[in-house]
Amino acid sequence: MASIDKDYILRKRELIIRSCFTNGVALATEAEILIRNKRYARAHFLCITALEEFAKAYILLHKKIDIETLKALTSHQLKAREIAELVAELLQQELGIKTKESSKIMQASRIPEMRQDTLYVRLLPTKYDAILPDNTYWKKRALNFFGYLRLLDRRAKRILAKGIILRKD
């Protein structure tokens, strides 16, 4: 892992946040293209990646920036917890749906694994002996994650339209 340059990130924070939102929106758009073409496993992968970008932007926007926080931004496992929190917050704020803590934790623990399951040929046995990603299996999951992205996409565009107000550390 490359060393983390906190000073650089603090200097470029607004640009990085804006870029994370922009990249997240682009990844969501590409996921939508894959969904329209019924390529659900790969669409799900892009949805997770877009959610990671949005989570990174929200961390940089709303959390105290220290070395531990910055290390979390480079770890799929740690970003997964942020994604689960972000999705739970979105469901609560935008749709009024409360998510149980255990559900958030379980979902977070599966996100890095999902990335692999949607993209790569498996070298280990699975319950259904699936070696390639099963497009039918990933359909519902891709559509759910894409729904979360739609909510985040709207929120990101509102934040970008209003301007980014950085937290002072």
Side-chain angles (χ1 to χ4, degrees), residues 67-83:
I67 290 299
E68 290 308 309
T69 302
L70 296 176
K71 283 181 184 175
L73 294 177
T74 62
S75 162
H76 291 301
Q77 188 64 48
L78 295 174
K79 279 189 284 188
R81 278 184 251 152
E82 294 297 331
I83 290 171

Side-chain angles (χ1 to χ4, degrees), residues 2-11 67 70:
S3 66
I4 297 170
D5 187 341
K6 181 180 174 185
D7 292 332
Y8 171 81
I9 291 169
L10 289 174
R11 274 194 325 274
I67 290 299
L70 296 176

Side-chain angles (χ1 to χ4, degrees), residues 10-63:
L10 289 174
R11 274 194 325 274
K12 300 288 187 175
R13 190 170 172 186
E14 185 173 349
L15 175 63
I16 293 168
I17 292 168
R18 189 174 302 281
S19 297
C20 287
F21 280 136
T22 301
N23 197 37
V25 169
L27 288 162
T29 301
E30 292 165 13
E32 183 175 23
I33 292 167
L34 289 171
I35 287 170
R36 279 198 312 258
N37 288 286
K38 298 179 173 48
R39 305 297 295 172
Y40 302 111
R42 284 174 171 73
H44 191 271
F45 177 83
L46 285 182
C47 288
I48 291 171
T49 307
L51 285 168
E52 284 186 342
E53 287 295 275
F54 285 130
K56 195 184 319 177
Y58 281 104
I59 291 166
L60 289 170
L61 193 55
H62 297 296
K63 297 214 174 183

Side-chain angles (χ1 to χ4, degrees), residues 112-161:
E113 213 175 291
M114 283 184 211
R115 291 174 57 90
Q116 293 179 359
D117 290 349
T118 59
L119 204 57
Y120 303 111
V121 169
R122 289 182 191 82
L123 300 177
L124 297 172
T126 64
K127 184 176 178 180
Y128 301 106
D129 207 22
I131 294 173
L132 284 170
D134 181 345
N135 213 35
T136 305
Y137 174 84
W138 289 105
K139 179 178 180 179
K140 179 180 176 186
R141 290 153 186 83
L143 294 174
N144 282 341
F145 271 63
F146 188 70
Y148 304 148
L149 280 177
R150 283 277 196 222
L151 295 173
L152 277 167
D153 189 42
R154 286 195 293 262
R155 185 180 277 191
K157 286 175 181 166
R158 285 194 304 262
I159 289 170
L160 291 172

